[in-house]
Amino acid sequence: MKIAYYPGCTLKTKGKSLETSALACMGQLGIEAEELERWNCCGAVYSLADDDLIHIVAPVRDLIRVKQAGHDKVITLCSMCYNTLARANELMRHDEEKRKTINDFMDEEPDYTGDVQVLHFLDFLRDEIGWDKVKEKVTKPLSGMKVAPYYGCTLLRPKEVAIDRADQPEVMHSFLETLGAEVVDFPGAIQCCGTYQVLGNPDAALKVSHDILSDATSHGAEALALTCPLCDYNMSKRQDQMLQKYEGAREVPIYYFTQLMAIAMGIPVEECHFELNRESSVQLLKSKNLVTG
Amino acid sequence: MAREISLKTIDDRFRQKIKEISGQNFQQCFQCGTCSGSCPMTEHLDLMPRQVMALIQFGQADALDVAKTPFVCASCHTCMVRCPRGLDLTKIMEAVRLVKLRRNVNEIEPSNLQPEDVTEMPQVAMVSGFRKLTS
Amino acid sequence: MSIVPQEETTATETKMVPIYIMGKRYEVPATLTIMKAIEYAGYKYIRGCGCRGGVCGACSTVYRKPGDYKIYTGLACQTVVEPEMYLTQMPFYPANRTTYDFGELTGTPDEINRLYPELFRCVACNACTKVCPMDVQVMDYIAALKRGDIQAAAEISFDCIQCGLCASRCMGELPQYHIAQLARRLNGAYLTPKAEHLQTMCANIDAGRYDPGLAELKGMDLETLRNTYQSREMEPASAGEDWTPQDKSHL
């Protein structure tokens, strides 16, 4: 099965562990992800202003590239890219007036009408591959590993692009169950990590990220699985600051969902680029005999 | 904090602007406070989202111009999902931000970022942060 | 073949076209470049004119045509005038250029991000690409840099002549051309593979590997030197990569 793949700005450097592990898993599942030959950054956040169309131009351009490459579906790994592309696509589908303005503005590009389907790897696995198929490829189940699924905001809100129910999502729960992990449900799973406020209000972002992690551990989680390089930055890279600042803060290993998938599928550990994770992430996998050495 | 609400202090053009940018009929807000109770940033806000809504309803442009809340908002859309009146508060917060940013005012200065932070930060942080917090 | 005198054109017979320079109308010969037309109209360049050969980037022109919303650009020294065009020269456009000690850089994307964080304000509107007189895909190299691909950016921006028109149109207020220059510098100095055989050869020279041979040549009288040169063993044009000379003493 061939599908167009849109990486996004972070997945070639700081978030490459998300990309390499995902591509390896796709290979195992017989999915041929064709990275778009030409693409630009989607803008990461969808414009929320009714009179601001210029910020919709970037994601629409990428959707045009998908069509130009001869595809009608595109898959993303970063949930912020997913949200931005999917919302731009909805607008192009349903708002005739804005569609025309955007198409007229991009006079160097072919017109676009929203006929590409934007998918996140998680709903693609659920709806187009199926958990049974994924399970067949699991050779090293994550038995006894207590993982909290963290959805964040952009996979679930707003409704028109949500890949699951906003209040009680299940897709990542099912995903982790398929990998053999013990899924730890916790309320913080759908709360915001503070996202770009790491620039504007770094202390506030640190606090909300810390709240999520302590919520997860207090529900018995040993680790957290997530889908977004900005969530990863806020909760994994900035965790050292939490450990210093908040009394009772505990070390929590953080993984991209695809890293756990790769481990469960017995994919060589190098594909996971664990050097970009917290050290505790590898230690936990070793203690569960999922990674040797 | 007592505020005078009168024809003198109600800035109707501001209200129109917010309506235009957000596309939301903020007059529907009935001040239940669900948004304030849902906001993950509550403890870092100077005004609760509900208060922001009230100030918009009364066209209190000055108060909102110095408010921190719209710039602490992380656009997580939780308030929007839970609003019993179906209002998209994230769009309203964006509109309040834009009224300020569009005067060529930056909330954060990209050139003042600490080099070590830029080295650490993923691109997506800067792309989204600059989108939301610079003019 | 003889030259027919009647076919010679003179100034009075040349077809003239109207153009507007900074809003003022001038009749200029239709065959002139914008640069020559401006001079023909009586202006004198003291800046904003460099190589007159299309590579220095000093003479960018911005122009429009009546009844057409599009912005056109070109290098004044390369672009022939069009009737009714209205134009202005853009010899310089201010753009943030950071200072850096190049020796302290190593060629990582973070270094570009640190020096030019405004990179991430690009919204992919593509105005830069549309305005580039060299047809550089400016938006694409900015996209490449956002994702940390310095090599791609260096390649895409290769034809940039630093005229600055991209920066003049940028809604993110980026100094694209300065960022691209840094990318090309980093690519050239740190990312392009080093020619290892060149380094080996330089080391050999420094170590005196070829000194005896040179001393031998220097000691020859002219006749011997000439004969040695003429009778030297040459690599045949069709030689393969594994060819070596009979006399290997100088290798």
Side-chain angles (χ1 to χ4, degrees), chain C residues 23-120:
Chain C
K24 185 167 160 49
R25 189 176 195 272
Y26 296 92
E27 293 274 339
V28 300
T31 54
L32 296 187
T33 60
I34 293 170
M35 177 166 282
K36 288 187 173 158
I38 289 174
E39 289 174 326
Y40 180 93
Y43 293 89
K44 185 182 170 190
Y45 285 96
I46 49 171
R47 277 212 66 192
C49 167
C51 69
R52 291 182 183 259
V55 291
C56 82
C59 67
S60 34
T61 308
V62 181
Y63 64 97
R64 275 190 154 102
K65 303 173 191 180
D68 184 349
Y69 74 87
K70 287 200 86 67
I71 292 174
Y72 293 90
T73 61
L75 297 175
C77 70
Q78 299 296 298
T79 314
V80 176
V81 294
E82 284 179 56
E84 305 286 341
M85 74 191 312
Y86 48 114
L87 61 87
T88 190
Q89 291 303 100
M90 194 77 90
F92 173 77
Y93 195 84
N96 175 34
R97 186 174 60 178
T98 54
T99 24
Y100 43 85
D101 181 344
F102 194 72
E104 282 176 6
L105 302 180
T106 57
T108 63
D110 295 332
E111 291 164 345
I112 295 189
N113 302 350
R114 215 158 50 215
L115 289 162
Y116 292 106
E118 61 268 43
L119 175 64
F120 298 102

Side-chain angles (χ1 to χ4, degrees), chain A residues 120 216 218 230 261 279-280 283-284:
Chain A
H120 186 267
S218 72
L230 189 45
M261 190 183 190
E279 228 180 286
S280 59
Q283 281 164 2
L284 180 65

Side-chain angles (χ1 to χ4, degrees), chain A residues 76-94:
Chain A
T76 66
L77 297 169
C78 163
S79 48
M80 286 182 93
C81 295
Y82 166 73
N83 190 279
T84 308
L85 292 175
R87 292 188 82 173
N89 203 37
E90 285 295 304
L91 181 95
M92 293 303 275
R93 255 182 214 176
H94 302 300

